[in-house]
């Protein structure tokens, strides 16, 4: 791969950061170890034909696979140098810096180095980038709602005997009849389409909101567990533009949210090591909201970090066509 001649002004060149091999290889190793903590048990279960209702989720619901997550990216505006960087010259959305960029970070002409190809990324993923910006900024600006109590998971098994079982290997801790009663006795107010779309047909009219793919950008709010789990989706879909440390911060938040979400579900997960949050009781509802508020606050901080990283590239993308509404929505 030949370096593409850069047309970046001096001000842009001055913002480039340089990471020599002795600095970035340890960061890559730290990232890979961080990923393996979650990915290795999943891969072992998959090889053995086993399932885990909580800890498989981020690798099965979302499209990012363990091998993809294992790849460490420094993010845009960073030049990686050293012999180990040569492999990345063949990676998608990477390129070799030109001599002007090399000089800007103190490297000689022809030095072995790579950097994220921001120009090509923005051109190729313009709609995805724009849509992520719309979702992130819109969600961050809305007030958080804390009255759902995790009933979306209950609505997914409401009158499930009439429909296909969602998790056939799990038991309902209250039984089918009492589970249905909990759904009927509570107001269901789910604002997230990618949770709502898994409701049983009989549960759909019980939801007081009608989220849809078309209204996703106007309905997502920062109290929603699923909207906050999806921070991981927006982050990995914009790699390698974003640093992998930020992607993993989103992943680990999503992992913890998923655990709490399933603790509040109608399933009996005690044998899996996840004690129930009894949302059918006042005490359980209060416990759920306490977790929900903490996750909401943490998610808002991550949203701002994502938006801060993406702002210059969102501005670059704004000169192109508008975002298509289906470009990044859903787990895909």
């Amino acid at each position: 791969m030949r370096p593409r001649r850069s047309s970046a002004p001096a001000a842009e060149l001055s913002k480039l950061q340089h990471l020599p091999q002795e600095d970035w290889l340890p960061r890559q190793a730290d990232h890979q170890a961080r990923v393996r903590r979650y990915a290795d048990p999943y891969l072992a279960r998959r090889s053995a034909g086993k399932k885990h209702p909580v800890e498989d989720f981020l690798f099965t619901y979302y499209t990012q696979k363990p091998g993809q997550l294992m790849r460490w990216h420094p993010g845009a505006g960073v030049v990686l140098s050293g012999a180990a960087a040569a492999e990345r010259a063949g990676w998608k959305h990477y390129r070799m810096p030109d001599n002007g960029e090399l000089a800007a970070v103190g490297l000689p002409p022809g030095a072995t180095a790579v950097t994220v190809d921001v120009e090509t990324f923005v051109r190729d993923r313009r709609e995805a980038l724009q849509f992520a910006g719309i979702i992130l900024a819109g969600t961050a600006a809305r007030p958080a709602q804390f009255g759902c109590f995790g009933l979306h998971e209950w609505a997914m098994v409401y009158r499930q005997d009439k429909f296909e079982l969602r998790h056939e290997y799990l038991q309902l801790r209250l039984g089918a009849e009492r589970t249905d009663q909990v759904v009927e006795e509570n107001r269901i107010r789910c604002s997230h389409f990618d949770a709502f779309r898994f409701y049983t047909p009989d549960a759909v009219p019980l939801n007081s909101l009608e989220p849809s793919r078309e209204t996703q950008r106007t309905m997502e709010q920062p109290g929603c567990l699923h909207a906050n789990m999806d921070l991981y989706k927006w982050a990995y879909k914009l790699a390698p533009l974003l640093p992998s440390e930020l992607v993993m911060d989103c992943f680990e938040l999503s992992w913890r949210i998923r655990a709490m979400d399933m603790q509040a579900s109608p399933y009996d997960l005690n044998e899996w090591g996840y004690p129930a949050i009894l949302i059918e009781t006042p005490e359980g509802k209060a416990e759920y909201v306490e977790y929900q508020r903490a996750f909401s606050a943490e998610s808002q901080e991550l949203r701002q970090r994502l938006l801060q990283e993406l702002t210059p590239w969102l501005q670059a993308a704004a000169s192109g066509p508008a975002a298509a509404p289906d470009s990044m929505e859903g787990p895909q």
Side-chain angles (χ1 to χ4, degrees):
M1 177 187 293
R2 294 182 178 179
R4 190 180 63 242
R5 185 174 182 178
S6 173
S7 59
E12 291 300 317
L13 291 176
S14 68
K15 296 178 183 178
L16 286 174
Q17 301 176 42
H18 171 222
L19 286 178
Q21 182 169 293
E22 60 267 25
D23 289 343
W24 68 262
L25 281 180
R27 284 180 59 180
Q28 175 178 268
D30 288 345
H31 169 74
Q32 291 173 343
R34 192 177 178 186
V35 173
R36 286 194 188 98
R37 175 187 171 193
Y38 304 95
D40 285 357
Y42 162 71
L43 293 171
R45 284 191 300 272
R46 190 177 69 176
S47 295
K50 297 180 180 179
K51 297 180 180 180
H52 196 294
V54 179
E55 298 173 12
D56 290 351
F57 182 77
L58 296 189
F59 297 115
T60 56
Y61 178 76
Y62 295 112
T63 59
Q64 179 88 325
K65 302 306 178 188
Q68 296 169 307
L69 186 59
M70 196 75 71
R71 282 191 169 187
W72 175 79
H73 303 291
V78 179
V79 174
L80 302 179
S81 66
E87 175 190 3
R88 293 169 181 254
W91 289 12
K92 189 173 184 179
H93 296 132
Y94 273 83
R95 64 175 176 83
M96 297 168 61
D98 66 22
N99 286 337
E101 292 167 320
L102 292 173
V105 296
L107 291 171
T112 301
V114 294
T115 191
V116 173
D117 190 346
V118 175
E119 182 180 338
T120 302
F121 183 94
V122 172
R123 185 190 67 221
D124 292 347
R125 304 298 308 280
R126 186 185 307 276
E127 293 175 351
L129 179 58
Q130 288 178 305
F131 187 75
I134 290 169
I135 290 290
L136 291 169
T139 304
R142 295 185 191 102
Q145 305 295 321
F146 300 109
C148 70
F149 306 120
L151 285 161
H152 54 274
E153 288 288 342
W154 297 66
M156 294 176 192
V157 295
Y158 180 62
R159 296 180 180 174
Q160 71 169 10
D161 291 345
K162 294 172 57 178
F163 310 104
E164 182 180 354
L165 294 179
R166 179 154 171 77
H167 294 296
E168 70 282 356
Y169 62 100
L170 298 178
Q171 298 296 316
L172 298 175
R173 62 180 177 81
L174 299 180
E177 183 177 353
R178 178 62 183 130
T179 298
D180 292 347
Q181 289 175 353
V182 171
V183 174
E184 293 161 357
E185 292 168 357
N186 288 273
R187 183 187 184 198
I188 308 181
R189 186 179 173 82
C190 180
S191 58
H192 196 276
F193 177 69
D194 283 314
F196 178 69
R197 69 191 179 95
F198 290 110
Y199 280 25
T200 65
D202 284 1
V204 168
L206 301 180
N207 204 62
S208 59
L209 300 174
E210 296 183 5
S212 67
R213 189 62 74 203
E214 291 70 29
T215 61
Q216 181 179 7
R217 66 184 67 197
T218 61
M219 291 192 70
E220 292 200 5
Q221 47 84 18
C224 172
L225 296 188
H226 278 259
N228 295 333
M229 278 193 286
D230 278 351
L231 289 176
Y232 168 57
K233 175 176 68 175
W234 307 128
Y236 79 70
K237 283 181 177 288
L238 296 178
L241 207 62
L242 297 173
S244 288
E245 290 83 356
L246 177 53
V247 176
M248 279 304 295
D249 286 347
C250 294
F251 176 97
E252 289 180 341
L253 173 64
S254 297
W255 182 278
R256 289 185 284 115
I257 292 175
R258 172 61 176 178
M260 192 276 275
D261 192 32
M262 288 300 283
Q263 285 180 268
S265 78
Y267 302 112
D268 184 351
L269 299 177
N270 275 302
E271 68 174 283
W272 303 88
Y274 292 88
I277 297 174
L278 309 179
I279 60 95
E280 68 274 15
T281 68
E283 296 79 11
K285 285 183 169 66
E287 183 181 3
Y288 183 92
V289 171
E290 183 178 357
Y291 278 112
Q292 192 178 24
R293 287 184 180 276
F295 285 138
S296 179
E298 190 174 350
S299 298
Q300 286 289 62
E301 292 180 5
L302 278 177
R303 250 181 219 98
Q304 293 303 325
R305 286 174 60 192
L306 287 167
L307 285 167
Q308 184 176 5
E309 289 278 351
L310 293 174
T311 291
W313 322 125
L314 288 168
Q315 293 170 347
S319 61
D326 61 351
S327 56
M328 283 184 70
E329 298 168 2
Q332 299 177 12

